Amino acid sequence: MNNVLLRVEDLHKRFGDLEVLTGVNMTLDRGHKTAIIGPSGCGKSTMLRCINFMETPSAGHVFLDGELFGEKKSGDKYVRMSEKELATQRAHVGMVFQGFYLWPHLSARDNVAIGPMKVRGMDKREANELADAMLEKVHMSHKVDEYPERLSGGQQQRVAIARALAQQPKLMLFDEPTSALDPELIGEVLNVIHELANEGRSMVLVTHEIRFAREVADRVIFLHDGIVVEEGPPDRVIDNPEHERLRGFLRQIVEH
Amino acid sequence: MGAFFQQLIDLGGPLLLGAGTTVAITLASLLVAIVLGLLLALIRLLGITPLNWIIAAYVEVFRNTPVLAQVFIIYFSLPYLGLSIDPFPAAVIGLGLNGGAVLCEIFRAGLNAIHHGQREAALAVGMTPWMSLRYIMLPQTWRITLPPLGNYAIALLKDTAVVSAIAAPEIMFWARNLVTSTFQTTFVYILAALLYFCLSFPLARLVERFERRQRAWQ
Ligand SMILES: Nc1ncnc2c1ncn2[C@@H]1O[C@H](COP(=O)(O)OP(=O)(O)OP(=O)(O)O)[C@@H](O)[C@H]1O
Ligand SMILES: [Mg+2]
């Protein structure tokens, strides 16, 4: 059986005149974790958002589990899927944002349960049980009835992770999940992500936490000026970088 | 003293009847205004330029002309197009169109107050754009817009007085009739004002409660 879960092929993304991605390739095997690092504005978020078609790539293709993602082939042309078809595919990809984006009118449990209910048509009791189980995974069982405004940033992000887990996704995308957090709250979120990684989940993780990337990821991609400048296992990319730009980037991060 | 009460009953009866019509016009126009305003606000979200212009023009025209003129134009002009129209529906259409313009802006502000990340998070879990609107955006919009919506309803209740000008049988219409027949000008208008107060005051308290609750949410 083919072990490739995600394949990103020659991805380009342009915003008007600004070329953000100019031909990015990556492959993620099932159960593997790739960390994307790179300076601010180099297109890390854009790349992640193109993977689940939150942004439509200007060129290139994404394949999830062997299937073309977000597009359909008609003849030899590729056309974007309808929003409905796209939603069905996105349900297989969990996404965790830098800004959490919990829905403030719903309790922690409802934030997690509403997706399974509305997207998969699960009944309320079953969805609540699933939500409680996912909240337990992120160590938030004591706050299931709390509303987002009454949770700390770290707690909100953990609920957001539970919300993505409830999709029972094939792939998890994390976009700088700890960048918006106070330093003392970063640990609890990284711990949760670490535990998920140990369960053998497949993930793509954009992060500035280099030490964390080295612990969790089996592959690191250094993105710069819209292309992959260097990639490989963390002990090579992080400990023995080849490119001067990557060395400069790592030095800068260590100094902070 | 007995004469006073007799007078109160003679004048109060028709005014109360008018109050029923005032409430009916208010509720019907409010319904038209909410449906229209929400629809227009949602269409504007689609970002289709020509439609945006049309809606923006509609909003500006209706917000920058007197509602009395709008009601007159509907009541007196539609018959020229071969559509005769009664005062009551003319009043509801006029106030409803006017309210649609006001509420379009209120709903738009409410929708724009929600961070776009909320919608993205909804799409990310596999919701369709419609689901994200239905389960994520609209419930929050509703919360945000409830106080301004309530204030609009209070203003509307009092604005219905203008439709007495096309003889819709509401409070002010009856008041004017009673004044012509009894010459009790001051007494009749004080009674009429009192009726508006009795309708409006509880509504104002309700809006205040919404506002307090909203502050607690934030
Ligand atoms: N919707 C958009 N419209 C126009 N330009 C955009 C848009 N989204 C991103 N950009 C631009 O694309 C470039 C890459 O942005 P992106 O958010 O992908 O960077 P990043 O690597 O995630 O940076 P950071 O580390 O600061 O999060 C930036 O110059 C940004 O201003
Ligand atoms: Mg980013």
Side-chain angles (χ1 to χ4, degrees), chain A residues 44-45 98 175-176:
Chain A
K44 303 181 296 296
S45 298
Q98 185 175 346
D175 189 2
E176 299 195 38

Side-chain angles (χ1 to χ4, degrees), chain A residues 10 17 20 37 66-67 75 80 88 101 111 125 127 133 137 152 169 185 193-195 205 207 219 237-238 244 256:
Chain A
D10 197 29
D17 286 339
V20 179
I37 59 172
E67 266 181 57
R80 198 177 195 274
T88 310
Y101 303 137
N111 261 277
R125 225 198 44 183
K137 253 185 181 318
S152 74
L185 301 178
I193 298 173
H194 213 165
E195 286 165 12
L205 176 79
T207 184
R219 206 166 179 79
V237 175
I238 294 174
E244 182 44 44
H256 277 91

Side-chain angles (χ1 to χ4, degrees), chain A residues 49 52 54 83-84 87-88 90-91 93 95 97 101-106 114-115 118-119 149 163 167, chain B residues 115-129 131 135-137 139-140 143 216-218:
Chain A
R49 293 162 56 77
N52 68 350
M54 212 55 95
E83 288 296 332
K84 217 169 161 178
T88 310
R90 278 204 192 106
V93 181
M95 189 170 208
F97 302 85
Y101 303 137
L102 292 184
W103 301 307
H105 62 300
L106 300 176
I114 192 169
K118 304 304 177 191
V119 174
E149 67 199 351
R163 174 173 70 182
Q167 294 170 242
Chain B
H115 195 285
H116 63 86
Q118 303 276 330
R119 179 170 180 276
E120 284 191 356
L123 297 180
V125 301
M127 289 194 194
T128 60
M131 288 178 189
Y135 301 114
I136 305 303
M137 307 292 282
Q140 293 187 63
R143 253 186 188 197
W217 276 333
Q218 276 159 0

Side-chain angles (χ1 to χ4, degrees), chain A residues 33 134-140 158 161 165 174 187-201 203 212 215-216:
Chain A
K33 298 106 188 109
M134 296 304 120
L135 286 165
E136 190 180 345
K137 253 185 181 318
V138 298
H139 314 299
M140 286 295 293
R158 286 188 280 146
I161 292 171
L165 288 175
F174 293 87
E188 63 190 62
V189 173
L190 293 185
N191 276 341
V192 163
I193 298 173
H194 213 165
E195 286 165 12
L196 297 177
N198 288 342
E199 286 178 4
R201 286 174 192 275
M203 28 177 111
F212 181 68
E215 284 170 25
V216 169

Side-chain angles (χ1 to χ4, degrees), chain A residues 118-250:
Chain A
K118 304 304 177 191
V119 174
R120 278 188 280 158
M122 214 179 251
D123 68 50
K124 194 174 173 70
R125 225 198 44 183
E126 207 183 340
N128 281 347
E129 277 169 17
L130 176 65
D132 288 353
M134 296 304 120
L135 286 165
E136 190 180 345
K137 253 185 181 318
V138 298
H139 314 299
M140 286 295 293
S141 290
H142 58 306
K143 298 279 186 186
V144 287
D145 292 316
E146 218 52 279
Y147 281 80
E149 67 199 351
R150 296 177 43 114
L151 299 175
S152 74
Q155 293 174 330
Q156 287 186 49
Q157 190 61 301
R158 286 188 280 146
V159 174
I161 292 171
R163 174 173 70 182
L165 288 175
Q167 294 170 242
Q168 297 173 319
K170 296 177 179 171
L171 171 68
M172 293 277 281
L173 306 175
F174 293 87
D175 189 2
E176 299 195 38
T178 58
S179 294
L181 295 176
D182 293 336
E184 72 272 20
L185 301 178
I186 291 177
E188 63 190 62
V189 173
L190 293 185
N191 276 341
V192 163
I193 298 173
H194 213 165
E195 286 165 12
L196 297 177
N198 288 342
E199 286 178 4
R201 286 174 192 275
S202 316
M203 28 177 111
V204 180
L205 176 79
V206 173
T207 184
H208 282 303
E209 303 283 333
I210 297 294
R211 205 157 16 112
F212 181 68
R214 182 167 38 198
E215 284 170 25
V216 169
D218 33 48
R219 206 166 179 79
V220 177
I221 288 181
F222 175 58
L223 204 62
H224 194 281
D225 284 343
I227 51 162
V228 176
V229 171
E230 194 165 335
E231 75 168 300
D235 52 1
R236 217 183 62 217
V237 175
I238 294 174
D239 300 337
N240 296 297
E242 278 175 25
H243 288 78
E244 182 44 44
R245 276 188 299 205
L246 175 53
R247 264 176 285 187
F249 171 72
L250 290 171

